[in-house]
Amino acid sequence: MIKRYYLIFILMFLPGILLSHEMRPAYLHIKQVNETTYNVFWKIPRRGDMVIRLSPVFPQSESLTEIVMPKLMEGAMLYSYSLTTSNPLEGQDLIIDGLQKTMIDVLVNVDYLNGEKVSFMLKPDDPEKIIPGKMSTFLVIKNYTVLGVEHIWFGIDHLLFVLALIIITKGFKKIVKTITAFTIAHSITLSMAVLGFANLPGPPVEAVIALSIVFLAIEIVKNASGQETITSKKPWLVAFTFGLLHGFGFAGALAEVGLPQTDIPLALAFFNVGVELGQIAFVLVVLLVIRALSYKKNWPLIIKKIPAYAIGSIAAFWTIERIAGFWF
């Protein structure tokens, strides 16, 4: 059974999971006010009181001055500047100072006075780019697909949920059905939230997502002891139900990054594609590891429960941390 072979995998990666936390991309929004002036909104991800030391640099510009005090937001710090330049911003260099020392990306959106909008990405190994004047469809597809893949890979809570589903689900066909149900569900609520048809506040959603992982961990322990549970009998139903909630979590991350206003459906579609590609890749890796460890047949009961205890402990810590964040 899958749960019998997962132990070594979870023990190999448990230290990384315990120390990891989702780090969302930084976001730079540049809005042209007149021929020589731009408003610049710079959002940097943070965890607790720690704010990453990053700053946008426009080498050919005359001044970049702060216009309001920095604003503390959930999971981020927002800075607002006024940028003055005697030459058009199009074609100028943009540098994110300090980016090469981090592991995060920066999504840049530029709104020109003539209505043209462009988006592009800066990465730690590519912290400098020339600001384009026009946005290609290919660039929108590429940027938001990459964002989707990165979000699922760095979203440790979402990955733990998927791992728990795999552990408790028996048989390849049933796993495919279960992961498909999870995909459909979070795609529905992600789209509805981004398009403004439904919304839930971020902190409670993140807390309940962590609680959903605790629930699955308990189900795994019961199942390992020989008890049939609703998850072991109908994992697709549990995956779909909680998947609706996880979709709001994905939407919160996408809202923080932003969407190009002229290409919202396209960007949303390929962000979702990126999430699914990242999720499929993760599931395949897990199944390959399980297959490689399939030589081991009979695990003791206590050993079979260790993955559930590990996953449940991490998720319980997140639940407490996120609920405490309501007040602190």
Side-chain angles (χ1 to χ4, degrees), residues 11-321:
L11 291 179
M12 285 170 57
F13 292 98
L14 181 58
I17 293 173
L18 284 168
L19 295 174
S20 297
H21 193 277
E22 179 181 354
M23 187 58 77
R24 294 171 178 171
Y27 177 52
L28 180 64
H29 183 194
I30 304 169
K31 186 174 183 179
Q32 188 173 15
V33 178
N34 54 47
E35 292 297 327
T36 60
T37 307
Y38 300 81
N39 286 335
V40 177
F41 304 97
W42 175 228
K43 185 188 290 184
I44 309 175
R46 68 178 180 88
R47 186 181 183 191
D49 296 328
M50 185 188 76
V51 180
I52 298 175
R53 293 182 179 275
L54 296 174
S55 57
V57 178
F58 302 85
Q60 300 176 44
S61 300
E62 296 174 0
S63 68
L64 181 67
T65 56
E66 196 169 80
I67 53 178
V68 297
M69 292 291 292
K71 182 181 179 182
L72 193 65
M73 305 177 66
E74 180 194 343
M77 183 72 78
L78 179 64
Y79 299 88
S80 300
Y81 302 99
S82 177
L83 173 69
T84 303
T85 176
S86 56
N87 298 313
L89 199 59
E90 176 185 349
Q92 289 192 32
D93 288 335
L94 170 63
I95 303 168
I96 303 299
D97 186 41
L99 187 61
Q100 64 274 18
K101 300 176 183 178
T102 72
M103 295 180 65
I104 67 171
D105 298 337
V106 177
L107 177 65
V108 182
N109 281 344
V110 184
D111 298 346
Y112 290 109
L113 205 57
N114 62 2
E116 191 72 52
K117 300 176 186 288
V118 299
S119 298
F120 57 95
M121 297 277 289
L122 294 172
K123 295 176 173 291
D125 59 354
D126 186 21
E128 178 179 352
K129 279 191 178 178
I130 295 174
I131 299 173
K134 285 190 175 183
M135 181 67 172
S136 69
T137 299
F138 171 76
L139 205 54
V140 173
I141 292 173
K142 176 186 173 183
N143 288 345
Y144 282 88
T145 300
V146 170
L147 278 174
V149 172
E150 290 182 346
H151 178 71
I152 190 69
W153 282 355
F154 289 105
I156 307 299
D157 48 0
H158 300 298
L159 293 184
L160 272 188
F161 184 85
V162 173
L163 284 173
L165 285 174
I166 293 175
I167 293 172
I168 205 170
T169 305
K170 302 172 184 176
F172 180 75
K173 289 184 179 179
K174 212 169 184 179
I175 289 175
V176 171
K177 183 179 179 180
T178 300
I179 298 301
T180 300
F182 180 64
T183 295
I184 292 172
H186 69 62
S187 297
I188 290 171
T189 46
L190 169 61
S191 301
M192 290 179 66
V194 169
L195 297 176
F197 295 114
N199 203 5
L200 288 176
V205 166
E206 296 295 332
V208 179
I209 285 174
L211 199 58
S212 72
I213 304 170
V214 175
F215 169 78
L216 284 184
I218 294 171
E219 294 281 281
I220 294 170
V221 171
K222 290 179 179 178
N223 193 241
S225 301
Q227 299 180 46
E228 275 202 316
T229 65
I230 184 173
T231 309
S232 62
K233 288 188 284 188
K234 295 183 178 180
W236 63 268
L237 180 61
V238 173
F240 185 86
T241 302
F242 284 119
L244 293 172
L245 189 67
H246 281 247
F248 285 111
F250 290 137
L254 188 55
E256 286 190 9
V257 173
L259 289 166
Q261 294 302 304
T262 55
D263 290 303
I264 288 178
L266 186 67
L268 173 59
F270 280 92
F271 178 82
N272 218 345
V273 167
V275 167
E276 304 322 317
L277 289 175
Q279 182 174 278
I280 290 169
F282 178 75
V283 171
L284 289 176
V285 168
V286 172
L287 293 179
L288 286 172
V289 171
I290 290 169
R291 184 176 180 84
L293 300 174
S294 61
Y295 67 89
K296 181 67 176 177
K297 298 298 179 184
N298 297 312
W299 292 95
L301 179 60
I302 187 63
I303 297 296
K304 292 192 289 185
K305 290 182 178 181
I306 288 178
Y309 291 141
I311 292 172
S313 298
I314 296 166
F317 171 77
W318 284 338
T319 303
I320 296 169
E321 180 186 47

